[in-house]
Amino acid sequence: MGAIIVNLDVMMAKRKMSLNELSERVGISLSNLSILKTGKAKAIRFSTLEILCEVLDCQPGDILEFEKDISKDK
Amino acid sequence: MKTISIIPVIRVLSWIVFLGLCIKAGAVLFTFTISLYNPPYAADLYQGLDLSILYSASRLDYIFLMAFAIILSSMQAFIFYFVVSIFEKLNLVRPFSEEIFLLISKISYFSLATGGIGLLAHQFADQLVKNGLVIGKAIDFWEGRDAFLFMGGVVLVIAQIFRRGIDLQVEHDLTV
């Protein structure tokens, strides 16, 4: 089985935005954003994804990426 | 809101029952120990329990019967100790925790064990009665054996549902 990779840090770097600033602008706590950024989150709400895309000016696909399990394909 | 107001009441009630059961178990143990050294005490063990005839007929049977009574009283006290512990550790903001799950599991295992030992005690007492011995009110100690078996089964199911609740809570906590 593959895995969903969260590229939030990549998008933040592209927009030159710190975690503190993002937290303030999207209204999500630093701890929750940290859970999302480190890939520990089990699920993400549509509302969270919407506000992140709006603030980071990107598409959901820029934040989330599906990575196939290469070892199983072989 | 209703749950929050009911919990302190149940907490106080469970403390009262726990203390009552501790006193009962302690009294049975104390009077039994005294009766071993002072046989006339077997005539008034706990709330008028008279086992003097059994004591004079067979000391070993008397010891076995009282052992059942002490074990069952202690196990009932232990069950309520776990109930009291649940109320002491309960956090309604995050109610599903591994600690509470373990306590609920212990309640179910102890209830099943109490029911099982109660059945054995009942069989043993039946045998004594068939042999013409008088056991008086001793039967009260294992009267609720079926109820304990049923309760143990129900609480075991609740413990499994609770375990699923822990998984769901973790999932909810990690939903951003």
Side-chain angles (χ1 to χ4, degrees):
Chain A
M1 222 171 94
I4 298 287
I5 308 294
V6 181
N7 289 324
L8 190 63
D9 46 354
V10 177
M11 281 313 296
M12 280 164 60
K14 277 184 185 171
R15 302 289 182 256
K16 293 187 177 71
M17 201 180 281
S18 70
L19 200 64
N20 276 320
E21 190 187 345
L22 184 65
S23 168
E24 273 172 29
R25 288 184 64 181
V26 297
I28 297 171
S29 67
L30 269 175
S31 59
N32 274 343
L33 273 183
S34 186
I35 287 170
L36 190 61
K37 207 180 92 168
T38 51
K40 286 178 189 162
K42 290 247 182 193
I44 181 165
R45 291 190 189 93
F46 276 131
S47 57
T48 307
L49 203 54
E50 266 172 36
I51 191 84
L52 282 173
C53 288
E54 197 176 312
V55 170
L56 292 169
D57 189 26
C58 64
Q59 292 299 312
D62 297 326
I63 298 172
L64 303 174
E65 181 191 341
F66 177 70
E67 195 175 81
K68 265 191 176 178
D69 192 350
I70 302 164
S71 61
K72 272 198 173 176
D73 287 350
K74 284 177 183 175
Chain B
M1 208 60 194
K2 209 174 182 181
T3 318
I4 296 167
S5 59
I6 286 171
I7 282 176
V9 178
I10 305 172
R11 188 183 163 201
V12 171
L13 284 176
S14 52
W15 262 108
I16 292 168
V17 177
F18 170 60
L19 291 175
L21 287 170
C22 281
I23 291 166
K24 183 183 173 184
V28 175
L29 181 64
F30 181 74
T31 50
F32 168 67
T33 312
I34 296 285
S35 71
L36 287 178
Y37 300 102
N38 201 345
Y41 274 91
D44 188 13
L45 285 160
Y46 172 75
Q47 289 191 344
L49 174 63
D50 181 3
L51 292 178
S52 54
I53 298 168
L54 179 66
Y55 190 100
S56 48
S58 166
R59 195 165 184 255
L60 192 68
D61 285 338
Y62 169 76
I63 291 171
F64 268 116
L65 194 79
M66 283 308 287
F68 274 125
I70 292 163
I71 290 169
L72 287 169
S73 308
S74 309
M75 287 185 80
Q76 287 169 22
F78 259 110
I79 290 170
F80 268 85
Y81 167 71
F82 296 135
V83 173
V84 165
S85 302
I86 286 178
F87 286 109
E88 295 304 313
K89 286 166 185 166
L90 189 66
N91 171 13
L92 282 178
V93 180
R94 295 184 82 249
F96 299 100
S97 70
E98 197 67 34
E99 217 175 2
I100 304 273
F101 164 71
L102 286 174
L103 285 169
I104 295 175
S105 299
K106 279 180 190 170
I107 289 173
S108 73
Y109 299 146
F110 268 72
S111 297
L112 289 170
T114 305
I117 294 170
L119 282 175
L120 287 175
H122 180 68
Q123 291 300 318
F124 180 69
D126 255 6
Q127 210 57 45
L128 292 178
V129 172
K130 274 179 194 167
N131 292 341
L133 295 164
V134 181
I135 57 160
K137 290 197 312 185
I139 203 148
D140 289 352
F141 285 102
W142 45 86
E143 209 172 30
R145 60 194 180 280
D146 299 334
F148 273 105
L149 281 174
F150 177 71
M151 186 180 99
V154 171
V155 176
L156 193 66
V157 172
I158 291 171
Q160 298 314 307
I161 296 168
F162 199 86
R163 181 183 257 173
R164 180 76 188 117
I166 296 173
D167 294 340
L168 289 173
Q169 187 176 269
V170 170
E171 209 169 290
H172 177 262
D173 288 347
L174 291 174
T175 297
V176 181

